[in-house]
Amino acid sequence: MKNLKIDAERLWDELMETAQIGGTPKGGICRLTLTDLDRQVRDWFKARCEALGCAVTVDDMGNMFARRPGTRADVPPIAMGSHLDTQPTGGKFDGALGVLAALEALRALHMAGYQTFAPIEVVNWTNEEGARFAPAMIASGVFAGVFTRDWAAARQDRSGETFGAALEAIGYRGPQRCGEHKLSAFFEVHIEQGPYLEAEGKDIGVVTGVQAMRWYEITVTGQDTHAGTTPMPRRHDALLAAARLVEAVNAAARKHPVAVGTVGLLEVKPGAPNVVPGEVFSMIDMRDPDPAVLDRMENDIEAAAAALRTGLGVEIAIKNIWTQPPQPFDPDCVAAVRGAAQVSGFTTRDMISGAGHDAAYVARVAPSAMIFVPCKDGISHNEIEYSSKEQCAAGAQVLLQAVLDYDRRLAERYER
Ligand code: GLV
Ligand code: MN
Ligand code: MN
């Protein structure tokens, strides 16, 4: 079992091959969820899995499951995977590594003719990024029963198209009801997306959980007026209020040692150089391992908004659209990851994920854990995002080893 090896070249070639689907001139990927590019990469994924003899099923949120049978068809599969959608200026590794490392691990089993106890699956979760349809991890959220299917299907992108219509349009609304697909366990490989592994020279992050996160929609309403004729004291400038709110979010996060707060989206209306902006739509993303810290940040932002309402004579509506509590991973799965890294000769560091991941939702309904690999300068959600061939291969090798270890323990548990 220790000799079963993934093929680093094959994994790297597939990462580079799929990076062409939505590839950008700067070397990244723009493959927003449920677009035609997403359909293309899904078709590619399905074909590769079927070529390995896997049966591919799709649920009604577009989540894809490629199954390799085990000796016991009645045992729920041990799944591994991540997402194939990207940010608008995404890199080649965020999500793709988790799916393609899983595909490579499954291929290693296939080529060795290795018979597992449980079926093994590779999963591609829909809309992990939340870049087109907010919030992030919608489909794994429905899978875990956190969101209803109808609520998810009705989510709209900024052009007003719904998740449901977009899913239908690319032909990936499957017959299986999302959430009915049972899993024995779930393992996800991902680039760290932060600086710690590289800085400390560690090969593998053993992820013990995911921090808490919240998203808010902000609508600031002022008054459109002439930029040349409206005296400064008579203005109700929605953008000025939004700009001050951006400062308030930053200041709220900086009060705490590890909290982060971001305004990454701002839409200004009507958007002309000579009109004082009358409306701004924006979104806040804030995160910390401790939800009490997020409560304090929320209070600070509310207080800043109250002052801006009176000071600038604008309306500010703040709507919380997503609250994700901290999510610890399953101790047995985490131990399987740690053991797999050690047996493969890699150095490790335990860590909490700053980024959100499908595994955080899947963990609510199946034992789950994650494996991180370092990425250059800790940069992600950027076209220059980079992890080396060896780093990607290490993640895939640990994934394979962890799944095999978990499978062996599962067999013992069933046969006891
Ligand atoms: C997922 O990309 C996240 O926002 O953490
Ligand atoms: Mn990701
Ligand atoms: Mn991401």
Side-chain angles (χ1 to χ4, degrees):
M1 203 161 75
K2 213 181 140 191
N3 295 329
L4 215 51
K5 281 252 181 313
I6 66 96
D7 185 323
E9 296 296 331
R10 226 163 32 194
L11 170 59
W12 188 256
D13 288 350
E14 289 193 337
L15 279 164
M16 297 307 121
E17 184 183 344
T18 49
Q20 302 304 309
I21 305 174
T24 61
K26 287 189 185 163
I29 309 178
C30 176
R31 195 164 62 213
L32 295 183
T33 194
L34 306 183
T35 57
D36 193 61
L37 291 167
D38 187 12
R39 178 195 60 75
Q40 287 177 40
V41 78
R42 285 164 177 267
D43 289 352
W44 180 96
F45 171 66
K46 184 166 182 284
R48 284 295 156 113
C49 294
E50 285 173 350
L52 295 175
C54 294
V56 179
T57 54
V58 183
D59 72 18
D60 56 13
M61 282 285 112
N63 298 317
M64 302 172 70
F65 305 87
R67 179 182 300 221
R68 180 175 188 264
T71 52
R72 284 278 295 269
D74 59 318
V75 174
I78 299 172
M80 41 187 187
S82 191
H83 60 98
L84 291 170
D85 66 321
T86 77
Q87 292 288 335
T89 53
K92 291 198 271 290
F93 304 90
D94 176 0
L97 175 62
V99 176
L100 299 180
L103 179 59
E104 175 52 31
L106 187 132
R107 192 185 287 116
L109 294 174
H110 176 79
M111 307 232 347
Y114 187 91
Q115 188 79 63
T116 54
F117 170 74
I120 305 295
E121 284 192 347
V122 182
V123 189
N124 171 35
W125 300 104
T126 302
N127 187 44
E128 191 276 345
E129 294 290 8
R132 181 173 176 204
F133 298 102
M137 295 130 64
I138 282 185
S140 52
V142 174
F143 185 85
V146 177
F147 308 128
T148 67
R149 209 164 39 122
D150 290 348
W151 180 85
R155 301 301 296 161
Q156 291 182 1
D157 67 10
R158 299 303 302 149
S159 79
E161 184 172 5
T162 64
F163 179 105
L167 180 61
E168 198 77 56
I170 66 160
Y172 269 94
R173 190 162 74 81
Q176 190 174 47
R177 199 178 169 87
C178 183
E180 281 182 356
H181 193 100
K182 296 294 168 233
L183 302 178
S184 284
F186 179 64
F187 292 89
E188 180 169 358
V189 177
H190 209 282
I191 58 167
E192 180 198 347
Q193 307 183 279
Y196 300 109
L197 291 175
E198 183 182 65
E200 295 174 17
K202 298 285 200 248
D203 303 317
I204 294 289
V206 177
V207 189
T208 56
V210 176
Q211 71 175 343
M213 47 195 81
R214 294 182 194 171
W215 280 15
Y216 303 81
E217 286 180 350
I218 311 290
T219 306
V220 185
T221 313
Q223 186 181 38
D224 305 349
T225 45
H226 197 295
T229 57
T230 314
M232 298 310 275
R234 296 179 75 116
R235 297 178 178 212
H236 304 286
D237 185 334
L239 181 55
L240 182 62
R244 290 184 180 164
L245 212 54
V246 173
E247 281 280 13
V249 170
N250 188 279
R254 283 175 182 275
K255 279 186 173 175
H256 308 281
V258 293
V260 287
T262 307
V263 176
L265 177 89
L266 210 57
E267 286 175 1
V268 183
K269 286 183 187 162
N274 48 354
V275 182
V276 176
E279 192 181 310
V280 170
F281 175 81
S282 81
M283 291 183 71
I284 300 173
D285 171 316
M286 55 193 215
R287 313 185 188 199
D288 191 274
D290 179 2
V293 168
L294 298 183
D295 288 342
R296 271 175 250 143
M297 286 171 66
E298 193 178 295
N299 289 341
D300 285 359
I301 294 164
E302 285 287 2
L308 290 167
R309 280 184 197 107
T310 34
L312 295 176
V314 294
E315 256 321 299
I316 302 178
I318 303 181
K319 184 177 168 199
N320 171 260
I321 62 152
W322 190 35
T323 296
Q324 157 81 358
Q327 179 64 54
F329 285 139
D330 176 73
D332 288 343
C333 290
V334 172
V337 169
R338 193 178 290 112
Q342 278 159 5
V343 87
S344 308
F346 296 121
T347 54
T348 66
R349 177 204 204 275
D350 281 13
M351 58 203 315
I352 291 192
S353 173
H357 297 288
D358 294 305
Y361 275 146
V362 180
R364 296 185 180 214
V365 288
S368 302
M370 290 189 73
I371 300 154
F372 276 178
V373 299
C375 62
K376 192 167 181 321
D377 300 326
I379 290 178
S380 181
H381 286 188
N382 186 312
E383 291 153 286
I384 65 167
E385 171 188 280
Y386 181 77
S387 295
S388 70
K389 187 191 295 179
E390 294 70 28
Q391 289 167 332
C392 292
Q397 186 61 39
V398 173
L399 175 68
L400 173 60
Q401 207 65 47
V403 165
L404 290 177
D405 180 50
Y406 199 88
D407 183 61
R408 193 168 42 79
R409 283 166 207 268
L410 198 63
E412 282 168 10
R413 222 177 297 152
Y414 271 88
E415 280 157 12
R416 209 175 285 146

